[in-house]
Amino acid sequence: VWDSYVHDGNGVGIGGTSAATIVGNVVANMAGATSDCIQFTATANGPVPILNNTAYNCGRHGIAITTTVTTLPHVIGNVLANNAGYGISFPAARAASPYYDGNAFYNNALGIVPNALDSEKYPPAEDNVITDNDIFWNNFNFHQGKPPFAVRAEGTAALAPVGTGVLLLGGRGNRIENNRIYGNFMTGVAAVEGILLAKNPDARALANNVVQN
């Protein structure tokens, strides 16, 4: 998927059925309250570059990555997400080792959130490497005023803690290092138990995560 623009719709939904999938130069603006601006679902194991994309004014996620497979070795680079509930969220996958490098997440309610839901096959989120990103000014309180999209009253986007740069919701072996994190009014980096996991309580714990700059 390359060189695409979507405005005022339901966002872009992409299914990666091949290890040769590339998602690049996609611009998505003003997705609806229940939509992600860019949603990529990995349905085949293999590296998937997600590069040079822009998402803004998004009712739920700027960029959401989900998976139906065990491995998720993605490279996320030069992505810009702003004015969303979550800048980017990515899923639980085993032996993942995805890299998130050289991106900008700003003016969202929450910048980056590796997390797992009960709907996913392989909780928790693990082995994500988040490095050399600009994560700043994520203080967009879409619960007040007139945001540029319809606001959800329920679901995970409604729970986004406004003013957070990076939030680990459970997870194992994640590395957050050498990023530029500033201006997030609540906290730059936070880590809490995976409270969204009711059916998989063993996957709630935080273990072997590294946070350093």
Side-chain angles (χ1 to χ4, degrees):
V1 179
W2 198 263
D3 289 337
S4 301
Y5 177 74
V6 175
H7 172 75
D8 197 16
N10 292 320
V12 179
I14 304 159
T17 57
S18 166
T21 300
I22 298 176
V23 182
N25 290 0
V26 174
V27 177
N29 174 31
M30 294 191 69
T34 60
S35 297
D36 308 311
C37 275
I38 300 172
Q39 182 182 69
F40 175 75
T41 301
T43 56
N45 292 318
V48 177
I50 300 177
L51 306 170
N52 306 326
N53 300 293
T54 300
Y56 58 102
N57 297 342
C58 312
R60 189 163 59 177
H61 302 91
I63 298 175
I65 304 170
T66 61
T67 183
T68 61
V69 295
T70 56
T71 61
L72 192 71
H74 294 343
V75 176
I76 316 298
N78 198 26
V79 166
L80 186 152
N82 70 86
N83 272 36
Y86 300 141
I88 185 169
S89 74
F90 34 91
R94 293 175 182 163
S97 298
Y99 284 81
Y100 302 82
D101 187 338
N103 305 291
F105 303 101
Y106 67 95
N107 200 37
N108 306 289
L110 193 165
I112 298 178
V113 53
N115 68 95
L117 304 174
D118 279 327
S119 59
E120 296 182 72
K121 291 185 176 181
Y122 307 109
E126 58 185 339
D127 297 331
N128 294 286
V129 178
I130 302 169
T131 184
D132 195 28
N133 299 285
D134 292 284
I135 306 165
F136 61 99
W137 302 345
N138 290 290
N139 307 305
F140 176 41
N141 190 350
F142 56 87
H143 302 291
Q144 297 180 353
K146 295 182 179 180
F149 50 77
V151 175
R152 298 187 72 190
E154 57 187 19
T156 55
L159 299 174
V162 176
T164 303
V166 182
L167 176 63
L168 290 178
L169 273 174
R172 296 189 293 250
N174 297 295
R175 300 183 64 88
I176 303 171
E177 54 190 6
N178 299 323
N179 298 286
R180 293 160 296 280
I181 304 173
Y182 59 91
N184 305 287
F185 288 167
M186 179 180 290
T187 185
V189 180
V192 299
E193 185 181 70
I195 58 174
L196 302 178
L197 293 170
K199 298 178 181 178
N200 297 280
D202 292 341
R204 292 180 183 176
L206 291 152
N208 302 320
N209 298 293
V210 175
V211 179
Q212 62 183 3
N213 269 352

